[in-house]
Amino acid sequence: MDIAMQKFPNGIPTLEEVKKFNGADPYPETAWIWGKDDEIGRINLLTPARILSAQKSEIRDGDTVSLNWPMNLPTKPAFGRAPCQHRVANHPDGPMVFDDWLDMNIQSGSQWDGFRHYGHQTQGRFYNDLTPEEVLSGTRCGIQAVSNHGIVGRGVLLDYYSWCQQTGKPYDPFTSHAIQLEDLLAVAKAQNVKFQVGDILLIRSGYTAAYYEYEKSDPKKLDEAGSLHPTLAGVAQTEEMKSWLHDSYFAAVAGDAPAWECWPPKQWALGVLIGEMFDLEALAKQCKEKQRWSFFFMSTPLNMPGGIASFANAIAIY
């Protein structure tokens, strides 16, 4: 935070201010404002003061909701990834001792995309100018950096899927439905949500709900969803959406689909962690019952040096 304030004394910058600051840079929208040694991007916004404020305002009942989908789901992960394999066997100590093993692509289920996962395809760089060669040879910007900080703060759910059903705008989450900014803001207004700097934004697109429905009614849809090039509902990649996401300064964003953005994506480099395939069904139900769409959010990513991604390991507390 201190480095960002040194560069922008008037506070964290808008996207237009970043572009002006970067000047003649061939990629002027690159929002690497936390210093050349930074590895956690907007997780820097989760300061002790913001964490304490969230704890005081959001934890009232002590109720908890896990945001993690069962690790064996989806059975056919998107983008052609292999499903989770779980093995249980006796330990050599005897028949009353067991161990188990997991063999899986971490990004096949509820997970965080780290800053080493999907680079800027044109620029040839990852977060904070990290190169593909560095990804293969070192640990800079690995998921361990986020793990060492933790993702703890005020979470906010925008239940876009329910709002669309209630307002007569139904859609199929297994299609390339683009979630527009004006609709997200309408959801926030309907839920009486007021955003704060450092919020962890969760958007329910309905992927998990549709998955369970198709599992019963049309299993072939799950095969299509598990293809190398699936169609997925998600956040629209418009200029106004980009500016809003940048200027709102969310510490992290997540959703319930295999991609947070409408697929295929455009190239943004905002330095924000993206969570995918979070299980938001119980959370949406709890929020509706309590008429509260904000909560205390906690996640402890894997402490894997040089890791590309992590299990979500996320929980909401009311």
Side-chain angles (χ1 to χ4, degrees):
M1 285 294 294
D2 291 341
I3 293 176
M5 294 300 288
Q6 290 170 15
K7 289 184 177 180
F8 304 97
N10 295 326
I12 45 182
T14 65
L15 184 57
E16 289 304 312
E17 289 172 330
V18 167
K19 290 161 67 174
K20 183 177 180 180
F21 178 83
N22 287 336
D25 190 298
Y27 301 97
E29 294 183 351
T30 303
W32 301 336
I33 68 171
W34 310 103
K36 63 181 179 63
D37 297 322
D38 179 59
E39 300 184 62
I40 61 174
R42 294 195 174 194
I43 297 299
N44 282 291
L45 295 168
L46 298 175
T47 61
R50 286 201 174 97
I51 293 171
L52 284 174
S53 176
Q55 179 264 321
K56 291 176 182 178
S57 65
E58 302 302 328
I59 299 181
R60 307 177 195 174
D61 310 322
D63 294 330
T64 61
V65 180
S66 171
L67 307 180
N68 310 293
W69 215 9
M71 292 180 68
N72 61 341
L73 294 179
T75 55
K76 295 183 179 179
F79 307 111
R81 293 185 173 117
C84 175
Q85 301 293 326
H86 181 218
R87 181 167 64 93
V88 177
N90 277 117
H91 187 273
D93 277 350
M96 295 301 294
V97 183
F98 290 89
D99 283 350
D100 61 352
W101 291 258
L102 288 175
D103 183 2
M104 67 180 297
N105 183 320
I106 292 174
Q107 286 152 313
S108 67
S110 297
Q111 55 97 13
W112 290 108
D113 276 344
F115 291 143
R116 297 157 63 92
H117 169 53
Y118 199 96
H120 196 290
Q121 304 299 295
T122 305
Q123 191 175 359
R125 292 290 187 273
F126 294 82
Y127 177 68
N128 222 352
D129 219 26
L130 184 75
T131 67
E133 291 75 21
E134 288 180 282
V135 172
L136 294 173
S137 63
T139 63
R140 186 164 78 92
C141 294
I143 201 68
Q144 81 284 348
V146 180
S147 175
N148 290 334
H149 185 287
I151 306 172
V152 182
R154 179 179 183 254
V156 173
L157 173 69
L158 293 184
D159 191 353
Y160 174 78
Y161 188 60
S162 290
W163 178 83
C164 283
Q165 293 175 319
Q166 294 163 4
T167 56
K169 299 180 179 180
Y171 68 94
D172 184 350
F174 279 47
T175 63
S176 297
H177 172 84
I179 301 173
Q180 302 297 331
L181 176 59
E182 62 180 318
D183 288 334
L184 278 187
L185 296 179
V187 176
K189 183 177 181 180
Q191 296 178 180
N192 196 29
V193 167
K194 307 295 183 185
F195 298 111
Q196 300 175 14
V197 169
D199 279 349
I200 296 131
L201 174 66
L202 309 182
I203 298 177
R204 180 176 177 247
S205 68
Y207 183 90
T208 308
Y211 182 95
Y212 289 133
E213 287 297 321
Y214 283 134
E215 196 173 36
K216 301 174 186 175
S217 64
D218 190 359
K220 288 185 179 180
K221 282 279 191 178
L222 304 186
D223 293 337
E224 297 171 10
S227 69
L228 188 60
H229 301 290
T231 55
L232 301 167
V235 170
Q237 290 109 45
T238 61
E239 290 299 310
E240 61 177 358
M241 180 69 79
K242 177 170 61 177
S243 293
W244 178 73
L245 288 172
H246 180 282
D247 296 352
S248 295
Y249 276 91
F250 298 113
V253 298
D256 54 354
W260 192 70
E261 61 276 67
C262 179
W263 200 261
K266 291 184 179 179
Q267 291 296 302
W268 293 348
L270 300 180
V272 62
L273 215 64
I274 295 176
E276 295 162 344
M277 286 177 284
F278 279 40
D279 187 351
L280 303 180
E281 297 308 292
L283 181 67
K285 181 179 179 181
Q286 188 83 276
C287 286
K288 183 178 180 180
E289 290 177 355
K290 294 179 180 292
Q291 286 297 292
R292 283 178 54 200
W293 278 267
S294 62
F295 39 85
F296 193 68
F297 179 96
M298 295 181 64
S299 169
T300 54
L302 295 173
N303 191 1
M304 181 67 236
I308 304 298
S310 171
F311 303 132
N313 290 340
I315 191 169
I317 307 173
Y318 289 92

